[in-house]
Amino acid sequence: MELRQLRYFVAIAEHGSMGRAALALGVATAALSQQVSRLEGELGVRLLLRQVQGTTPTAAGEAFLRRARQILRQTEMATEEARGARLTGSASLGFTPATAAVLGGPLLQAMRERYPEVRLHLVEAFSGFLSQMLNARKLDLAVVFQTDIAQRWHCTPILRESLFAICSPASPHGFAGASVRLEDLADKPLLLPSRAHGLRLLLDVAFSQIGCAPRIEAEIDSLGLLLEAVRLGYGVTIQQSAVASCSPRPGLSFARVANTGVGVQNVLVNLAEEEASPAVAVTGKMVFEVARKLVTDRHWVGATLGEGPGAGLTA
């Protein structure tokens, strides 16, 4: 008995026709029929009823079909595990702090399960710093904002995020409600990253387009320190929605920025795709898989999938 014969039999049972199964498998109908006949001869039972209107499993065929599907699934799993186990190497990957908090843990777990021999070097920094590290070839991959991308980089969109305003409700600068407009934030003391970073570039453009000059109280290139300053009431910040997906942060309130079109496109970038090692390639693949699952399972607040190449920051 061969795995090929099991695949052929399952395909025929699922398609209900020798012809349709042969077309789906890309083999000749005669070859398909011959292999199934050999399988029936080896088992000593008829597995399929061949009729004018189609082909259906016999009672013995139904019982065999269940086992055949199990065998094929187990074979696929064993193959994947074997491939993953023998893949070795290393990959360096950079995240922004908020992205790391949402994506980092699940990615580590997925890589450990699928590719346990791949050694990861994960870096957390604001997008501007990640851009510098990519340029210096200190990173193989990074998840950054579209605005940071240089022409020589290869980039693939992952997801798009909304922006959230964050304040201390006990502060005189606080706001109420589930959403807030940029116009209502412009005169508040804003705590933001410096202009070297993609999120700040986005916000500068967005405020300019609505004709407002934001009141920048301080520039802080540390997410932890920035949020602590907000909690202490020194001002308000605006961040990617991943911040709202992290563990509850006592003393902080979140409101979605309601202006139409204001959002940030996250992309996976690397400097030399054609030179990527197998370890780097599978790491990039897993970033996409894990990110998509986080969004579809609603664990990444304010994120949506499906932005195509060329999608960028809009305001």
Side-chain angles (χ1 to χ4, degrees):
M1 185 183 305
E2 301 176 9
L3 287 175
R4 175 180 56 174
Q5 294 172 330
L6 297 184
R7 293 191 184 98
Y8 288 177
F9 168 71
V10 170
I12 295 168
E14 291 178 346
H15 288 279
S17 161
M18 285 274 188
R20 288 193 293 270
L23 185 63
L25 293 168
V27 300
T29 303
L32 197 64
S33 178
Q34 183 182 53
Q35 289 298 324
V36 172
S37 294
R38 289 181 178 177
L39 179 61
E40 290 177 325
E42 183 176 345
L43 296 174
V45 296
R46 182 172 294 277
L47 300 174
L48 297 169
L49 289 176
R50 300 164 176 80
Q51 301 171 319
V52 176
Q53 61 270 30
T55 304
T56 57
T58 63
E62 289 286 358
F64 187 74
L65 179 61
R66 289 192 294 272
R67 294 296 185 185
R69 284 172 171 159
Q70 291 175 2
I71 292 170
L72 291 176
R73 281 197 299 269
Q74 291 171 353
T75 301
E76 290 173 359
M77 291 173 60
T79 300
E80 185 66 20
E81 289 174 2
R83 287 174 177 168
R86 69 170 176 259
L87 180 61
T88 61
S90 62
S92 56
L93 172 65
F95 302 104
T96 62
T99 301
V102 177
L103 182 59
L107 176 66
L108 279 172
Q109 181 177 355
M111 287 293 293
R112 184 175 182 179
E113 292 173 355
R114 192 83 63 86
Y115 303 105
E117 299 301 319
V118 173
R119 185 176 67 259
L120 291 180
H121 172 211
L122 302 182
V123 175
E124 177 185 306
F126 274 100
S127 57
F129 295 136
L130 295 177
S131 301
Q132 295 171 14
M133 294 181 72
L134 279 165
N135 282 328
R137 300 296 181 113
K138 294 180 179 179
L139 288 176
D140 296 312
L141 305 159
V143 179
V144 298
F145 303 145
Q146 184 86 30
T147 189
D148 300 316
I149 296 173
Q151 288 294 322
R152 64 185 176 280
W153 292 359
H154 174 80
C155 63
T156 311
I158 303 175
L159 53 85
R160 183 177 175 82
E161 291 183 274
S162 303
L163 296 182
F164 276 73
I166 310 171
C167 72
S168 167
S171 164
H173 315 302
F175 43 79
S179 64
V180 64
R181 297 188 62 80
L182 288 176
E183 294 88 333
D184 300 322
L185 298 172
D187 62 348
K188 295 183 180 295
L190 289 174
L191 309 175
L192 298 174
S194 66
R195 286 191 170 89
H197 307 298
L199 181 60
R200 176 63 181 277
L201 295 177
L202 161 67
L203 293 172
D204 285 348
V205 171
F207 277 113
S208 175
Q209 290 183 348
I210 62 173
C212 293
R215 175 185 164 193
I216 307 299
E217 184 73 12
E219 295 180 333
I220 303 176
D221 287 340
S222 164
L223 181 61
L225 180 57
L226 191 155
L227 294 178
E228 179 63 11
V230 171
R231 188 188 68 80
L232 292 172
Y234 295 145
V236 174
T237 192
I238 304 171
Q239 292 293 320
Q240 64 187 104
S241 65
V243 178
S245 303
C246 301
S247 302
R249 298 180 183 272
L252 296 177
S253 292
F254 295 79
R256 188 188 297 263
V257 174
N259 298 65
T260 302
V262 175
V264 59
Q265 179 74 36
N266 286 263
V267 297
L268 180 70
V269 301
N270 66 287
L271 287 169
E273 184 186 26
E274 70 279 359
E275 299 174 7
S277 68
V280 171
V282 298
T283 300
K285 174 184 174 184
M286 292 305 299
V287 168
F288 278 96
E289 288 188 14
V290 174
R292 292 185 68 87
K293 180 169 175 51
L294 288 170
V295 175
T296 55
D297 290 348
R298 301 183 183 277
H299 294 316
W300 197 320
V301 175
T304 56
L305 300 170
E307 295 290 341
L313 301 174
T314 59

